[in-house]
Amino acid sequence: MMNRREALITSAAGLASLAAPSVFAQTAAAPFPNKVIRIVPFGTAGGPIDTLARVYADKLQARWGQPVIIDAKPGASGIIAADFVAKAAPDGHTVFFTLPLTHVNVPILQAKVPYDPFKDFSPLSMLATGGPMLVARANAPYNNLKEFVAYARTQKSLSYGTWGNGSSAHLFGELLKRQSGTELIHAAYKAEAAVHNDLFGEALDFAWANPSTARGHIQAGKMKALGVAGTRRVSALPNVPTFAEQGFQGFDVDSWIGVFAPAKTPQPIVEAWTAALRETTRMPDVSARLSAFGFEPLGNTPPEFVQIFKADYPRVAELIKAAGVTAD
């Protein structure tokens, strides 16, 4: 028969065994975030997405009380950065701020990329939408798209720069070439700043620009905008008409800034990210920064993001076909 001391020991052991799973469960489900958060932005340091990612990083760090760092991995039209995030631990501490180039354009153009844009990522939120601008030096002998096409037809060829093969700017440039019957030669750069340097240095005849980078040059009297692609004018430069307004069709495909986590990220962490991103996007100072960069603030949910994301595929595929762009 068990004495009093043995009974107490047995009872305590039993209680400890019952409590143990709860302790282990709390350890396994540590609060998110619980370490440094890494944001991998599309493009190079100082580019539009990198700059906007830093705006969000500051807000998220204040919200969550954990360091948020920017870890740019430029090159290969964003494929390097996308692949890095796709292969990161799905714990919510590594996310990707990107453009359609890595998840729509390049996967359509190339037979093989090292990741699946649908299966290898968890969409978190589409922060904003917008479109690139066709720009020229301020002293160019044309002021709108019709005048540009008329001039281009008098030239043997004209060269233009973009921030990557298969980018929306590249597709729009090749579509303009086909529609206008002119010879427009594409030059891909790793960074938009380098495009503009060569434009001002007259190594390029014209270029594409994000409204954010165009605005400063326009205000400085160095650049003029001929038209904006996408479905609407941008609030940062409201006097610049769209391609459609100037009689050019097929350029009404919007660009966007989207945030992805690795696939299999737990749903509670996805929800935490989505809430944080949506609330941050709605902050007046953040919305103002997005607008200044030529994007219209959005901040949607994962299902809404996926719906737009999937709808982009046939539209971009048709644009690629119409523009005659190939993986080469």
Side-chain angles (χ1 to χ4, degrees):
M1 187 171 185
M2 188 182 297
N3 62 32
R4 176 179 174 80
R5 183 172 180 276
E6 289 172 334
L8 288 172
I9 292 173
T10 302
S11 177
L15 289 172
S17 67
L18 289 173
S22 175
V23 172
F24 293 148
Q26 289 175 15
T27 303
F32 171 83
N34 53 54
K35 60 182 179 180
V36 173
I37 297 167
R38 182 192 309 268
I39 295 177
V40 180
F42 172 89
T44 57
I49 307 305
D50 175 85
T51 301
L52 287 170
R54 293 176 190 277
V55 172
Y56 278 82
D58 289 342
K59 300 293 187 181
L60 294 169
Q61 184 164 302
R63 178 189 181 97
W64 282 330
Q66 291 287 352
V68 182
I69 64 170
I70 304 299
D71 187 10
K73 298 187 179 299
S77 298
I79 292 176
I80 294 172
D83 189 47
F84 176 85
V85 175
K87 292 178 171 58
D91 59 5
H93 291 89
T94 301
V95 299
F96 189 30
F97 274 49
T98 190
L99 297 169
L101 182 60
T102 57
H103 280 65
V104 181
N105 301 37
V106 166
I108 292 174
L109 275 168
Q110 298 189 18
K112 289 185 178 181
V113 290
Y115 56 87
D116 185 300
F118 287 102
K119 296 178 181 179
D120 292 340
F121 297 89
S122 296
L124 301 177
S125 183
M126 188 177 287
L127 306 180
T129 62
M133 288 180 165
L134 188 72
V135 299
R137 289 183 294 278
N139 62 356
Y142 38 81
N143 298 296
N144 55 53
L145 289 173
K146 290 184 178 179
E147 290 180 4
F148 168 78
V149 169
Y151 175 82
R153 286 172 176 164
T154 69
Q155 306 298 305
K156 183 177 180 181
S157 65
L158 295 177
S159 60
Y160 71 96
T162 75
W163 47 88
N165 284 314
S167 64
S168 57
H170 178 205
L171 300 183
F172 289 141
E174 295 305 297
L175 181 59
L176 180 61
K177 171 182 174 179
R178 288 202 166 194
Q179 286 192 5
S180 63
T182 56
E183 184 60 29
L184 308 178
I185 300 172
H186 176 236
Y189 289 73
K190 291 184 177 180
E192 190 178 344
V195 176
H196 299 164
N197 286 339
D198 277 1
L199 175 66
F200 299 136
E202 301 190 7
L204 295 170
D205 294 298
F206 67 102
W208 290 85
N210 283 294
S212 59
T213 53
R215 185 174 65 167
H217 294 312
I218 291 170
Q219 292 173 340
K222 298 173 63 179
M223 179 186 284
K224 65 176 75 172
L226 308 180
V228 59
T231 58
R232 57 189 175 276
R233 298 189 185 197
V234 298
S235 54
L237 292 165
N239 294 326
V240 181
T242 66
F243 274 68
E245 288 176 300
Q246 299 183 72
F248 293 82
Q249 305 305 315
F251 297 84
D252 57 344
V253 178
D254 285 328
S255 184
W256 43 257
I257 303 172
V259 185
F260 294 88
K264 299 181 181 179
T265 298
Q267 186 61 27
I269 294 177
V270 168
E271 291 172 359
W273 262 107
T274 299
L277 291 170
R278 297 186 73 193
E279 291 170 20
T280 301
T281 300
R282 293 191 187 103
M283 292 179 178
D285 58 330
V286 175
S287 292
R289 289 298 297 274
L290 288 165
S291 297
F293 271 79
F295 289 96
E296 301 304 317
L298 182 58
N300 62 13
T301 64
E304 291 168 334
F305 187 174
V306 170
Q307 184 178 11
I308 297 173
F309 180 26
K310 288 184 175 180
D312 276 352
Y313 260 74
R315 299 185 71 206
V316 172
E318 183 59 32
L319 180 58
I320 288 172
K321 181 180 178 182
V325 177
T326 65
D328 297 328

